[in-house]
Amino acid sequence: MATNRSRRLRKKLCVDEFQELGFELNLGFKEDLSDEAIDAFLDAFLADAMDANGLDYVGGDDFGLVCSVKRGSVSEEQRAAVEAWLKGRSELTSIEVSPLLDAWYPEKPINPAS
């Protein structure tokens, strides 16, 4: 694929200076947790960790990607806030929060300008 792209195309493809960062979550729930308790956790997670920080979550109960609600990148501060919120929850036995990564092309390295 050509690397000499117009600014408009780079923006549309979310590459180069328009790269958008996010992070992955991998959650382990306690074995004896009921479906209602998991649903209550997810409701609180979406309201308190995602909406409160201007973030969005795409995925399932135990694995997903966190990205910005608006066009743009997740900051390291937002990532740390979500990780701290998750660590304060008793419903979880394990929490894996990835470093920031390219939300559209996870295999690509992060641009220094991002």
Side-chain angles (χ1 to χ4, degrees):
M1 190 173 224
T3 57
N4 189 13
R5 299 182 180 121
S6 69
R7 176 178 163 80
R8 180 174 171 228
L9 185 56
R10 291 192 311 270
K11 184 174 182 178
K12 185 174 185 173
L13 294 174
C14 300
V15 296
D16 298 334
E17 71 269 32
F18 300 104
Q19 183 179 49
E20 296 180 356
L21 304 181
F23 60 94
E24 293 178 343
L25 289 180
N26 200 346
L27 307 174
F29 290 95
K30 289 184 176 178
E31 298 255 343
D32 60 347
L33 218 52
S34 69
D35 289 342
E36 293 79 20
I38 292 174
D39 288 344
F41 167 83
L42 291 173
D43 289 342
F45 171 69
L46 293 174
D48 301 340
M50 296 293 101
D51 293 344
N53 289 299
L55 301 173
D56 203 3
Y57 179 76
V58 180
D61 294 353
D62 57 351
F63 179 79
L65 176 73
V66 176
C67 53
S68 178
V69 169
K70 297 180 180 177
R71 188 170 191 127
S73 293
V74 173
S75 70
E76 188 59 46
E77 292 78 23
Q78 290 170 310
R79 183 193 158 285
V82 171
E83 185 173 17
W85 188 89
L86 290 169
K87 287 182 177 179
R89 300 301 294 208
S90 62
E91 299 92 341
L92 302 172
T93 57
S94 66
I95 303 162
E96 291 178 34
V97 180
S98 78
L100 291 176
L101 50 84
D102 188 315
W104 291 95
Y105 310 98
E107 70 282 354
K108 289 192 172 191
I110 295 176
N111 293 333
S114 291

